[in-house]
C-alpha cells in the first residue's frame, strides 16, 4: 500500500498571494502534479490540514478543484487555518466520509493499513488539542482495530519538537494520550503537518512525522526564544510505503523540476569496482 501525504496547502483567494508574495494556489497545482507523477501511483492521499489559508468558501473551491484531479481516494483533516464549519460544508459533498456534525474524525477500514484521521482544531487558536472527548473517540477506534497496522494522521503534532517558534503552538494532549498511543504498537506513524518542515521524532513508542508544506516552509531556527519566519525552501510530499515485511517506510519527495534521472556510471578508477564488474552499479 502506498500512501501519499501533502499538507498545509493554504489556498488563497484568486490574485491574493499569501503574505503578499507566496502563490500558494500554484503550489497546490504542482503538489497534485507531483502526486500524479508517482509511478506506481499511490493508493490514497492524506491531506493533513491547513487546506485553506482563511477558511473561505472560495479557497475551498480552489482546493476541491485541484484535489479532484487525483483519481485515488483523498482523505482530509482540518488545520488551524481552516474553519471547521466551512471546511465540512465545502468539502463534504465530495468527501462523504466527513461527519455531518461534531469533530471531523473518521477511520478508513477497507485498506491494508487502517487510517484514523483526527480533528485537532480549536476554533480561533493557532494551537490544537486532543481533548478528553477526542481521546476517548480515538481509544474506541483503536480498540476496534484489533492490532491491524494503523496510521494516525492529524494537523497539529501532538509532541514537542524542541523548536521554540513551533512549540508555542502545539497540540495540547493529556498524559493519557501518549499512553494510549504507546499501548497500540500497531500504530506505524503519527503523521502531521502544521510546522512546514520535515521533522521526525520518537513519540510514545511510534514515529512522529511532520511533512513539509506544499508552498512556503518555516526556516530552521534552533535558537531559543525566536519566532518562526517563512522561507521558500523546496516543498515536498511524503510517500509512505507499507509492505507486510517492512511495515511503513516513509520517503520524502521534493516538488520541483530537478532535471532527468541519470545512470550511475562509475569511473574506471573507482576503488570499489570489483575486477570484471560492469561499468555501472
Ligand atoms: Fe500551515
Ligand atoms: Fe497549521
Amino acid at each position: 500500500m502506498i500512501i501519499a501525504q501533502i499538507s498545509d496547502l493554504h489556498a488563497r483567494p484568486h490574485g491574493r498571494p499569501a503574505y503578499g508574495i507566496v502563490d500558494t494556489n500554484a503550489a497546490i497545482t504542482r503538489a497534485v502534479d507531483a502526486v500524479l507523477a508517482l509511478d506506481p501511483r499511490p493508493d490514497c492521499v492524506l491531506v493533513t490540514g491547513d487546506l485553506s489559508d482563511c477558511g473561505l468558501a472560495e479557497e475551498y473551491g480552489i482546493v476541491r478543484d485541484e484535489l479532484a484531479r487525483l483519481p485515488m481516494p483523498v482523505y482530509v483533516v482540518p488545520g488551524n487555518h481552516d474553519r471547521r464549519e466551512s471546511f465540512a460544508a465545502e468539502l463534504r459533498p465530495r468527501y462523504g466520509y466527513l461527519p455531518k456534525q461534531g469533530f471531523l474524525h473518521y477511520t478508513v477500514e477497507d485498506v491494508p493499513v487502517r487510517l484514523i484521521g483526527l480533528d485537532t482544531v480549536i476554533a480561533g487558536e493557532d494551537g490544537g488539542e486532543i481533548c478528553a472527548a477526542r481521546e476517548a473517540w480515538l481509544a474506541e477506534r483503536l480498540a476496534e482495530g484489533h492490532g491491524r497496522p494503523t496510521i494516525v494522521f492529524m494537523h497539529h503534532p501532538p509532541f514537542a519538537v524542541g523548536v521554540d517558534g513551533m512549540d508555542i503552538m502545539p497540540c495540547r494532549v493529556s498524559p493519557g494520550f501518549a499512553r494510549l498511543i504507546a499501548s497500540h504498537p500497531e500504530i506505524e506513524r503519527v503523521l502531521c503537518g502544521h510546522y512546514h518542515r520535515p521533522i521526525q521524532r520518537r513519540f510514545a513508542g511510534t514515529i512522529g512525522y511532520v511533512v513539509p508544506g506544499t508552498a512556503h516552509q518555516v526556516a530552521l531556527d534552533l535558537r531559543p526564544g525566536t519566532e518562526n519566519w517563512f522561507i521558500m525552501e523546496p516543498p515536498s510530499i511524503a510517500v509512505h510505503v507499507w509492505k507486510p515485511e517492512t511495515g511503513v517506510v516513509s520517503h520524502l519527495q521534493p516538488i520541483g523540476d530537478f532535471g532527468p534521472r541519470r545512470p550511475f556510471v562509475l569511473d574506471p578508477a573507482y576503488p570499489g569496482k570489483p575486477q570484471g564488474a560492469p561499468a555501472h552499479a
Side-chain angles (χ1 to χ4, degrees):
M1 181 177 181
I2 302 176
I3 302 160
Q5 182 191 2
I6 60 176
S7 198
D8 294 84
L9 283 57
H10 290 265
R12 293 278 299 178
H14 287 292
R16 294 181 57 195
Y19 311 109
I21 60 166
V22 185
D23 188 350
T24 52
N25 296 348
I28 298 170
T29 300
R30 291 192 291 270
V32 171
D33 287 345
V35 173
L36 290 171
L38 294 171
D39 182 12
R41 282 190 174 172
D43 298 288
C44 66
V45 178
L46 309 182
V47 190
T48 42
D50 284 357
L51 277 66
S52 76
D53 200 45
C54 302
L56 304 175
E58 179 184 353
E59 297 172 337
Y60 290 118
I62 291 165
V63 172
R64 196 173 50 224
D65 289 348
E66 285 290 346
L67 297 181
R69 297 197 291 125
L70 296 168
M72 65 290 286
V74 175
Y75 300 111
V76 299
V77 290
N80 52 301
H81 280 256
D82 295 304
R83 290 185 189 153
R84 187 179 287 119
E85 292 71 26
S86 51
F87 181 101
E90 299 297 330
L91 298 180
R92 189 183 295 114
R94 181 163 187 87
Y95 302 123
Y97 53 80
L98 289 172
K100 291 191 171 55
Q101 58 187 20
F103 297 120
L104 300 177
H105 304 326
Y106 52 89
T107 69
V108 181
E109 303 286 353
D110 54 345
V111 283
V113 179
R114 202 170 168 243
L115 306 170
I116 303 180
L118 287 179
D119 172 350
T120 53
V121 170
I122 309 172
E125 293 193 23
D126 287 337
E129 183 178 36
I130 298 294
C131 58
R134 292 181 245 204
E135 185 181 317
W137 183 92
L138 177 62
E140 291 173 11
R141 300 294 83 72
L142 286 169
E144 292 168 355
H146 303 293
R148 289 172 50 210
T150 299
I151 281 176
V152 175
F153 63 106
M154 57 209 291
H155 180 64
H156 298 85
F159 42 79
V161 296
V163 177
D164 285 357
M166 298 176 178
D167 286 337
I168 61 169
M169 49 177 179
C171 184
R172 292 199 298 268
V173 296
S174 77
F177 179 79
R179 287 197 297 271
L180 173 64
I181 297 293
S183 69
H184 286 275
E186 72 273 21
I187 299 175
E188 290 270 356
R189 295 282 188 286
V190 176
L191 301 179
C192 312
H194 190 45
Y195 290 157
H196 293 235
R197 284 204 67 77
I199 303 170
Q200 297 176 55
R201 63 158 281 190
R202 182 162 64 176
F203 169 66
T206 186
I207 296 171
Y209 188 98
V210 181
V211 72
T214 55
H216 49 296
Q217 311 306 317
V218 172
L220 179 62
D221 192 340
L222 300 176
R223 295 173 297 170
T226 54
E227 297 179 352
N228 284 340
W229 291 53
F230 75 85
I231 187 169
M232 298 312 292
E233 291 175 350
S236 298
I237 61 176
V239 182
H240 308 286
V241 182
W242 178 86
K243 297 178 182 177
E245 61 270 30
T246 61
V248 172
V249 177
S250 296
H251 304 270
L252 198 65
Q253 176 66 34
I255 300 169
D257 182 358
F258 305 103
R261 299 176 185 210
R262 302 176 193 279
F264 287 100
V265 180
L266 294 180
D267 189 282
Y270 174 65
K273 182 166 173 276
Q275 292 293 324
H280 59 83

